[in-house]
Amino acid sequence: MKHKYKINIDPPVPSDAQIDRHKDFGRTLAAYHNLTQPIYRKPLYKNPKAFIGLVLILTIAGLVFWAVEDEEKEKAKEKELMELPMDVKMAQENSFLKAPAQGIALQRVGFDIVGNKAQKITLNDGSVLTIPANAFELPSDMQPENVYLQATQAHSIAEVIAMGLPMQTDGKLIDPAKILEIKAFVPHAIGSRKEVTLAPGTKITIEVPVADNALQARQLFTLDPKTHVWNSAATAPIQPQPKRSNRVSLDPNDGFGVVEYDAKGHVIPKPKANTPKDEQPIQVLQFEMAQLGIVCLGELQGQPIGSVTYKARFTDPAGQPLRLLTLYGITKRRNTVAFLWPKSADFAFDLQVAPNLPNSYVGFLPDGRLATISNVGALDDSQDVHVLQMQVSAAPVKDLQELTQLIDGLAGL
Amino acid sequence: MKSTLNEKRMKTLERQRLNDTQLQQELRLVEDAQKDPRRFGVLYEKYYKQIYLFVYKRAGEQDLAGDITAQVFLKAMVSLPKYSYRGVPFSAWLYRIASNEVNQHFRNAKGDRTISIEKTQVDKVMGMVDEDKASDLSELYLEVMLETLHEMEPEDIELIELRFFEDRPFSEVGFIVGITENNAKVKVYRIVERLRKRLKAKLGGNYEA
């Protein structure tokens, strides 16, 4: 194989002067220092150029960071108006949301009962709970007499909002006549209690006084504690129980909240107070709870919600978009509330809770103030976004009573 | 009279033949340079010219030779802390770096390597190869040498240059090329045999490449 080489025969020899032209030890030494001693090995205070350069770079980086951060803050502010915080989104996913004002809570009624005895408890609206003996599944080390029963009731829109209950099921609203939550606890540790459940196969019987004309339309719903969806309990027995007094009293002498038992565990009836002669018997519905939780006696509204979707922007009186944590749609002459979930200042949902009736909307701001707008009529389909100007309360709503007054005060309710 | 590369080389080689005292002095210079790179200047001054000429013969251009030589001394300075005496002069270590740099340059540049030869040196080599000692065959010697060089691998070229054109001892040749002294001897012997075979064929007129 032949290789290509350039062959010089008797080449001229460079003179000493020509060789010395290339000789430069200073340059080689400098190259050596550059190679083995990078600039950062030299202390900054001995290298003013590098020091000034570094200061300049840091200053520019700081200015850029400052400018970017300002821009980010502006964007975050806009985003804050448009989007809700993470916890609310999670609540929205659960479709279950409490009002943000801490003071808005229902009054809960509690009873200390003896777990291994059958007993009856009368609530302040005349409802009677019949609890069989050994109804609760108690921890093995727990004495049966230490059961604490807690009952919570809701009837009005404000109370439904306070309980944070969604009132939609299968795209329809439930008009509640009565919502009842029953829980039972046993002492768990000092100052705390542990929730217990009903023993398998045990049922609590509930008798609720109702008006005669509502008997046929009422249905029983139970709230699934995990999904927060109302399930119709149509198979539960709902039987009219005539010949019962509709007298409601909070007087302990009338039996409210005080139960006495005989040796066999039977309730000793209290002597009745004087009964007015004009008192008329009313109907009583009876049903059973197979598990503790929330039940609702209510009427399904025929008009399905969510059939027409509009995009709405709720603003304050000055026209600034409001950041609403919760929003409820209320229809005239209906004792129900539609929960709407505002994700941003402009959001799409069925504004017309009841298309043929004026609707009102109530929403909580993050600081607990209440924003309201009433008598929203039919919406124009041609508009892309409907701007709805709300009135905002001067201060956060402090308790349930104030919330009830504000909602009742809305025109059209 | 014009100075030839061969005369220069002979003078250089005379200077290179170091006695023990000179070797000790050189090692002291190396140790000083290892402690303080600025003292490498003494070694730089001492060996610059011969390294430059070594590179020049292989690069063929003065400016290119200057650039490669600068690189050789820079690498020598960087690698100096690792240098230790291995029975050959310090200059052999520099030649080894120079040889590597030249080869690296032509690999990167993908150019043709230069071989600088002197007619007098060719006559001497081929005279040693020619067993018949024929006279006035200078032109034929050169022809055979050129033909043989073109058939040789770059590694063998390096051996020819170091051993015959620069007249270095086998110990240095082996060190510079990176093989043992004995290996260098065997390889050079084979090259001589190839030259002899080719020369015989030329003289007999029946050589076939």
Side-chain angles (χ1 to χ4, degrees), chain A residues 353-385:
Chain A
V353 179
N356 300 323
L357 295 171
N359 296 303
S360 299
Y361 299 94
V362 177
F364 277 100
L365 298 175
D367 61 2
R369 286 180 298 157
L370 193 73
T372 57
I373 181 170
S374 60
N375 284 323
V376 178
L379 296 171
D380 182 3
D381 286 336
S382 62
Q383 278 187 290
D384 183 33
V385 177

Side-chain angles (χ1 to χ4, degrees), chain B:
Chain B
M1 185 181 169
K2 189 180 176 183
S3 174
T4 64
L5 267 178
N6 192 37
E7 288 166 344
K8 292 264 180 192
R9 175 184 55 79
M10 292 304 291
K11 288 177 186 173
T12 305
L13 288 174
E14 280 174 11
R15 285 199 298 273
Q16 280 179 339
R17 293 196 179 89
L18 305 172
N19 57 34
D20 285 348
T21 311
Q22 287 172 321
L23 197 61
Q24 290 298 326
Q25 285 176 347
E26 187 178 70
L27 283 176
R28 267 199 296 276
L29 289 175
V30 172
E31 285 171 3
D32 286 348
Q34 284 176 324
K35 290 171 189 168
D36 183 356
R38 287 173 297 184
R39 297 194 182 177
F40 187 79
V42 180
L43 295 166
Y44 183 89
E45 287 294 331
K46 187 176 178 183
Y47 293 113
Y48 185 85
K49 189 174 177 180
Q50 61 195 73
I51 295 296
Y52 177 89
L53 290 173
F54 178 90
V55 173
Y56 170 72
K57 282 194 286 184
R58 288 155 176 81
E61 295 173 26
Q62 290 189 23
D63 288 342
L64 178 59
D67 290 345
I68 295 175
T69 306
Q71 199 64 20
V72 169
F73 279 101
L74 178 60
K75 288 206 170 175
M77 285 185 79
V78 171
S79 305
L80 194 63
K82 291 184 282 186
Y83 172 80
S84 61
Y85 179 67
R86 293 176 192 174
V88 290
F90 179 72
S91 60
W93 187 67
L94 291 176
Y95 283 123
R96 184 171 180 165
I97 295 173
S99 174
N100 289 335
E101 279 301 303
V102 170
N103 292 336
Q104 185 67 41
H105 169 79
F106 284 107
R107 269 199 300 274
N108 293 344
K110 295 179 180 174
D112 297 334
R113 185 198 190 289
T114 298
I115 303 170
S116 298
I117 56 178
E118 295 164 31
K119 280 185 181 174
T120 53
Q121 197 63 25
V122 172
D123 288 347
K124 185 184 170 190
V125 174
M126 294 308 291
M128 182 183 68
V129 168
D130 184 5
E131 292 168 337
D132 298 334
K133 305 288 182 192
S135 59
D136 201 19
L137 292 174
S138 183
E139 288 303 315
L140 182 65
Y141 285 165
L142 186 61
E143 185 185 337
V144 170
M145 178 61 81
L146 293 180
E147 285 178 0
T148 310
L149 286 175
H150 276 298
E151 289 177 357
M152 289 167 74
E153 296 293 331
E155 293 79 13
D156 292 339
I157 297 280
E158 185 78 18
L159 288 171
I160 290 283
E161 284 176 320
L162 292 169
R163 178 60 189 166
F164 294 131
F165 301 164
E166 295 169 8
D167 205 16
R168 295 181 189 281
F170 277 111
S171 59
E172 275 190 42
V173 171
F175 180 79
I176 293 169
V177 178
I179 59 177
T180 63
E181 184 178 344
N182 282 337
N183 201 357
K185 283 178 183 173
V186 170
K187 287 192 172 202
V188 168
Y189 174 76
R190 286 177 185 159
I191 292 169
V192 169
E193 282 302 304
R194 283 175 67 183
L195 284 168
R196 183 172 289 136
K197 189 179 171 185
R198 182 178 289 274
L199 183 63
K200 274 186 178 178
K202 282 279 180 187
L203 290 171
N206 59 354
Y207 176 76
E208 290 178 6

Side-chain angles (χ1 to χ4, degrees), chain A residues 54-304:
Chain A
L54 192 65
V55 168
L56 271 175
I57 289 169
L58 288 176
T59 308
I60 291 168
L63 286 172
V64 169
F65 177 75
W66 187 40
V68 169
E69 198 181 35
D70 263 13
E71 199 176 329
E72 289 291 323
K73 275 183 184 173
E74 287 296 319
K75 281 184 182 173
K77 272 186 184 176
E78 287 174 17
K79 199 174 178 183
E80 201 177 358
L81 274 176
M82 300 301 290
E83 289 189 9
L84 292 173
M86 183 58 72
D87 56 339
V88 177
K89 281 185 177 175
M90 289 174 68
Q92 184 238 344
E93 285 169 11
N94 290 332
S95 188
F96 195 83
L97 189 63
K98 298 279 187 185
Q102 294 297 319
I104 302 173
L106 288 181
Q107 186 183 1
R108 301 180 188 280
V109 185
F111 306 92
D112 289 318
I113 61 173
V114 181
N116 58 356
K117 290 182 179 176
Q119 50 217 289
K120 287 192 176 187
I121 294 174
T122 306
L123 303 180
N124 57 357
D125 67 339
S127 300
V128 177
L129 311 181
T130 303
I131 301 164
N134 301 312
F136 304 101
E137 202 164 35
L138 303 176
S140 56
D141 59 339
M142 191 59 60
Q143 295 300 318
E145 61 268 20
N146 290 329
V147 177
Y148 178 81
L149 193 80
Q150 185 185 69
T152 312
Q153 296 183 79
H155 303 89
S156 68
I157 292 173
E159 287 169 338
V160 170
I161 290 173
M163 283 187 84
L165 297 175
M167 294 311 296
Q168 294 99 319
T169 181
D170 292 335
K172 293 182 179 180
L173 283 174
I174 302 172
D175 191 342
K178 182 181 193 63
I179 294 174
L180 177 62
E181 181 188 59
I182 298 178
K183 289 182 176 179
F185 303 89
V186 291
H188 178 53
I190 297 172
S192 71
R193 296 176 301 191
K194 183 180 180 182
E195 194 168 348
V196 294
T197 58
L198 281 181
T202 307
K203 290 179 181 176
I204 294 178
T205 305
I206 302 171
E207 295 170 66
V208 181
V210 294
D212 292 345
N213 57 3
L215 275 178
Q216 299 303 320
R218 293 284 151 75
Q219 279 183 261
L220 180 67
F221 299 91
T222 58
L223 188 71
D224 188 318
K226 289 180 181 172
T227 62
H228 300 113
V229 170
W230 289 106
N231 295 316
S232 174
T235 54
I238 301 177
Q239 298 170 358
Q241 299 286 321
K243 298 177 183 176
R244 181 181 170 85
S245 171
N246 67 342
R247 183 173 52 84
V248 176
S249 170
L250 291 174
D251 188 347
N253 291 326
D254 292 342
F256 169 67
V258 178
V259 186
E260 291 182 3
Y261 309 92
D262 60 17
K264 295 180 180 178
H266 297 137
V267 177
I268 302 170
K270 289 278 183 184
K272 288 190 176 180
N274 292 332
T275 304
K277 287 181 181 176
D278 57 347
E279 185 176 340
Q280 298 296 320
I282 62 162
Q283 300 284 342
V284 174
L285 289 182
Q286 186 186 65
F287 59 91
E288 294 174 332
M289 284 180 79
Q291 61 179 18
L292 298 180
I294 303 176
V295 294
C296 170
L297 267 177
E299 180 183 349
L300 263 186
Q301 290 196 6
Q303 177 67 38

